[in-house]
Amino acid sequence: MTDGAGLRVGELPDDLTAAEAGMWQAFRNGSVYDLRAGDTVVDDPHGGHPWGPERTVRARIVCWLLLNGPPALDGRVASLKLAGIQIVDSLDLAGGTVEPYVEMKGCRFEREILLPESRFTTLRLVDCAIPRLEAARLHTEGDLHLPRCRFHNGIRLTDAHIGTDLLLNQSVIYRDRRDNSLVGDGMTIGQDLQAEMMESHGELSLRGAKVGVSLSLRGSRLANPYGRRALNAPQLTVGRTMYLTPAGVLDPVQTSGRTPARGTRVQRFECEGGIRLDDGRFGDAVDFEQARLTLRDDQEVSLRRVQVPELRFLGRRPQRGRVVLNGARVVTLVDQATSWPGAGQLQMGGFQYESLVPRGPFPLARRLQWVAAATPEYNPEPYERLATVLRNGGEDEDAREVLLAKQRHRRENLPIAARLWGYVQDWTVAYGYRPGRAAIWMGVLWAVTSLAFAHADHPPLKSGEHPPWNPSIFALDLLLPLIDLGQAGYWQLRGGWQWLAAVVILLGWVLATTVAAGATRTLRRG
């Protein structure tokens, strides 16, 4: 009886080395084939200590075992479990179907791993040194685990399908020839993508990727000095939360997928380069808590048209670059005053949010600076959105202050005549948002003019057809242009008194007009 390789059951191929023969037998037994020396320096797959032929196997033999290996021993399950092995030549499983379980720990690969259009149940490569992983359209029924690995020329997972989890915790990924570290465009992950405390040197691309549950970059460090973006993930879909938050640094290092407990030493998420999450869809939240964002002037954190129930913008304020929220739709915005950039670095055109939950002090004056930073050229929309949210939260007075700030900002872009009229409305009744000022101004003006007209020369227009002279009622009759109190039409003023009466009438019209404008705004808001 022979197996698929043309060998009798129990036979070994003739040209196997001693290391390969041991691996062959361990595969049939389903046991771990461990050639580590027990010295951490010698066994470090990323170190410079050479591994001799006693720890070296050919990639062709590994492929033989995985694609058409010998049957398992009775009562065993064939699987490839390697530790401390060096694999020479390219491991080429392109288009193949691998049924055995595969797990390699602390191994070195001399050349790239080629897995495009291959199929696995579960594939685990842990703490391995890998020149490059080429796995476009890879399909796994279970996990793809790549923690603590180092990839010297990037990873390609375009259109891959991972049945459950993709793990990249503590991995280090260097750029390929196109300056990409990991390309996962169109990738689908059934459950979680965990890339905690990972280092990415190049562009991490997840365009159109879909993650069933959560995407965690806790404690990771992304850097791309070669291009505009360190994270390029437009049209990303995440079933629950995307974490750009700290990870706990313990001994040993743990990346448990939870927010570190208070008092734990943490490593923050850091990104040197732009972030693009345009048109993303997130089921629960996007969390930037304590994130450190370092941008150049031409780079941005772009959240255009993102849809998410909760945006937690709680990182460190970027000193350069821009934060763009144009068209984003958020139910709850959790933020802090120290996280947002200054004027000219923030864009919020069409940004919609329903409630604000500030973390720490965020007075209205700072909130108005936040809106002003997003509108160096006048745009009423951010002011009106903020006023609506404040009013819906029962903060009517703050909402009026926001709308007043909107009018003042608008005034600076008007022609000089309209600007002067705006100043008049502001000084008198604050554009109608402080209508109590009108009563004060009219009271003061009435008192002053009453005293003045008490000394005026006031001959009657028609003798015997006039009421008794009353300077207070006369002044009030001039101030109220739409009300006739029976004084202004019966007396004749000359010289300076006539000019004073004209000024009082004009001021009365100004006050009446501004009060009417304020009343109109109040009714519209109601």
Side-chain angles (χ1 to χ4, degrees), residues 22-331:
M23 178 177 67
W24 191 280
Q25 295 292 1
F27 175 84
R28 297 190 64 201
N29 194 41
S31 59
V32 177
Y33 188 51
D34 190 347
L35 294 183
R36 290 175 291 191
D39 186 322
T40 55
V41 175
V42 173
D43 292 335
D44 183 4
H46 316 294
H49 198 284
W51 292 357
E54 71 282 359
R55 297 180 64 168
T56 301
V57 301
R58 289 169 289 173
R60 180 174 65 85
I61 306 302
V62 175
C63 293
W64 188 350
L65 290 173
L66 293 177
L67 296 175
N68 196 20
L73 298 177
D74 292 343
R76 299 286 185 174
V77 177
S79 59
L80 188 66
K81 301 175 185 177
L82 306 179
I85 306 292
Q86 180 171 258
I87 301 169
V88 297
D89 301 323
S90 295
L91 185 66
D92 189 350
L93 294 165
T97 298
V98 177
E99 296 182 358
Y101 173 84
V102 182
E103 182 177 280
M104 303 184 188
K105 293 183 177 180
C107 294
R108 285 180 184 171
F109 291 81
E110 181 188 61
R111 298 181 64 183
E112 68 270 19
I113 300 175
L114 303 175
L115 305 178
E117 302 196 34
S118 59
R119 301 180 71 89
F120 285 77
T121 50
T122 292
L123 174 60
R124 291 192 172 103
L125 305 176
V126 180
D127 194 23
C128 294
I130 305 170
R132 177 172 173 79
L133 174 60
E134 182 67 51
R137 297 172 297 284
L138 167 72
H139 188 286
T140 69
E141 295 180 15
D143 298 337
L144 174 60
H145 286 193
L146 305 169
R148 300 196 301 281
C149 291
R150 290 190 183 180
F151 300 89
H152 298 280
N153 292 292
I155 301 174
R156 185 177 181 84
L157 288 168
T158 305
D159 298 318
H161 177 85
I162 311 302
T164 50
D165 298 333
L166 170 60
L167 265 63
L168 289 160
N169 295 343
Q170 301 174 60
S171 289
V172 180
I173 312 172
Y174 295 98
R175 61 175 174 145
D176 61 15
R177 291 176 296 177
R178 297 184 177 180
D179 296 330
N180 296 314
S181 58
L182 185 151
V183 180
D185 300 343
M187 178 171 56
T188 301
I189 300 171
Q191 295 185 18
D192 296 331
L193 194 170
Q194 290 193 21
E196 302 183 352
M197 299 185 72
M198 176 188 72
E199 290 185 25
S200 170
H201 301 271
E203 182 177 290
L204 174 58
S205 182
L206 297 172
R207 294 183 294 179
K210 297 181 179 179
V211 180
V213 183
S214 65
L215 192 165
S216 179
L217 289 166
R218 289 183 174 96
S220 291
R221 293 173 174 171
L222 314 183
N224 183 18
Y226 321 103
R228 291 187 61 189
R229 300 182 183 97
L231 175 59
N232 187 19
Q235 298 182 325
L236 173 66
T237 300
V238 177
R240 298 192 65 181
T241 300
M242 180 175 184
Y243 295 98
L244 307 171
T245 58
V249 180
L250 306 176
D251 189 16
V253 174
Q254 295 184 4
T255 53
S256 61
R258 295 190 300 270
T259 301
R262 185 179 296 274
T264 304
R265 188 166 66 91
V266 300
Q267 177 172 304
R268 292 176 173 83
F269 171 81
E270 298 182 6
C271 184
E272 296 182 20
I275 295 177
R276 184 186 180 201
L277 298 177
D278 297 350
D279 300 293
R281 302 292 183 268
F282 304 88
D284 285 350
V286 176
D287 195 345
F288 283 89
E289 184 160 2
Q290 298 186 46
R292 291 178 176 174
L293 308 175
T294 304
L295 306 173
R296 300 195 305 261
D297 290 334
D298 62 336
Q299 295 175 333
E300 58 188 27
V301 177
S302 180
L303 301 172
R304 292 175 172 89
R305 299 173 298 280
V306 162
Q307 294 187 24
V308 59
E310 185 168 289
L311 174 61
R312 304 169 193 153
F313 201 80
L314 300 164
R316 177 179 293 183
R317 174 190 291 118
Q319 299 302 311
R320 301 166 64 187
R322 293 178 301 277
V323 176
V324 183
L325 291 162
N326 293 344
R329 299 180 64 182
V330 174
V331 177

Side-chain angles (χ1 to χ4, degrees), residues 343-367:
Q345 294 180 270
L346 179 61
Q347 298 178 16
M348 297 195 301
F351 177 38
Q352 299 182 32
Y353 51 96
E354 298 179 15
S355 62
L356 290 170
V357 181
R359 184 81 61 83
F362 207 146
L364 182 61
R366 294 292 298 273
R367 185 65 75 181

